[in-house]
């Protein structure tokens, strides 16, 4: 059947995924974003501080998810 995603964040999602699978998706996405920040060829001077905080936050969440060893 067709998968319809509920975008109302005050209610549970319509799709059925385990918490473990959601954590894997979240970890993969955060690792991807961290990689994108690391690979930027030009970073505006105003973004350097922001990017450092972003990476620190991503690392915190990855550690919480048990994914801190391979990012």
């Amino acid at each position: 059947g067709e998968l319809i995603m509920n975008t109302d964040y005050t209610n549970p999602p319509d799709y059925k995924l385990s918490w473990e699978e959601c954590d894997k998706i979240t970890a993969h996405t955060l690792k991807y974003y961290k990689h994108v920040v690391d690979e930027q060829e030009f970073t505006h001077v105003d973004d350097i501080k922001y990017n450092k905080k972003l990476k620190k936050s991503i690392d915190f969440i990855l550690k919480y998810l048990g994914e801190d060893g391979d990012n």
Side-chain angles (χ1 to χ4, degrees), residues 58-68 71:
I58 287 172
D59 285 339
F60 178 84
I61 299 298
L62 288 173
K63 186 174 182 181
Y64 175 80
L65 295 174
E67 296 281 338
D68 57 323
N71 56 24

Side-chain angles (χ1 to χ4, degrees), residues 30-54:
L30 291 175
K31 288 177 186 180
Y32 172 76
Y33 283 133
K34 186 176 175 189
H35 175 75
V36 168
V37 170
D38 284 339
E39 296 296 314
Q40 288 177 347
E41 290 184 23
F42 174 76
T43 303
H44 191 277
V45 67
D46 294 339
D47 292 333
I48 292 172
K49 189 175 181 181
Y50 168 80
N51 286 349
K52 191 173 182 179
K53 288 183 177 182
L54 177 63

Side-chain angles (χ1 to χ4, degrees), residues 5-24:
M5 293 199 182
N6 178 3
T7 57
D8 174 4
Y9 297 113
T10 59
N11 292 307
D14 291 335
Y15 49 88
K16 304 291 186 224
L17 289 174
S18 69
W19 286 110
E20 292 81 11
E21 196 64 24
C22 289
D23 287 351
K24 288 180 187 177

